[in-house]
Amino acid sequence: MSWQQYVDEHLMCDVDGQGSHLTAAAIIGQDGSVWAQSSTFPAFTPEEITAIMNDFAEPGSLAPTGLFIGGVKYMVIQGEPGAVIRGKKGAGGTTVKKTNQALIIGIYDEPLTPGQCNMIVERLGDYLIDQAL
């Protein structure tokens, strides 16, 4: 399966049978290279990926400044140190799951809930970790 198929079929999928899905998603190498992304995923900077990787290495480092993706600032909320970073902005937010080689990033807005975004992103991330990716 291509990386783009993972984004299209596993991240941008219909969540509840009502047409609800992530607004944007990507699989990005830990070096900042794009493996695959939805057409709606914002252009991000290498510095944003570096800051995310630093937070995985030193959990809590993003909390004072916020999590930035594509220039959009998300308030960092509870996650799993070294494994998952969650961010909130208004009625939407983001989930970033770290695998052995990549970052799985999902961005959502209402009517999707934070829990639904977490489930979509983390389920694929766990699967890729099981595959040693």
Side-chain angles (χ1 to χ4, degrees), residues 15-16 20-22 77 86-88 91-95 106-121:
V15 175
D16 55 10
S20 299
H21 54 78
L22 296 174
I77 56 176
R86 298 183 182 110
K88 188 92 175 105
T94 185
T95 302
I107 298 172
Y108 71 93
D109 217 329
E110 285 184 328
L112 216 64
T113 66
Q116 288 172 313
C117 180
N118 296 342
M119 181 188 70
I120 294 166
V121 171

Side-chain angles (χ1 to χ4, degrees), residues 88-106:
K88 188 92 175 105
K89 178 179 174 50
T94 185
T95 302
V96 182
K97 169 80 175 178
K98 179 177 175 269
T99 71
N100 300 338
Q101 300 174 21
L103 300 172
I104 314 295
I105 303 173

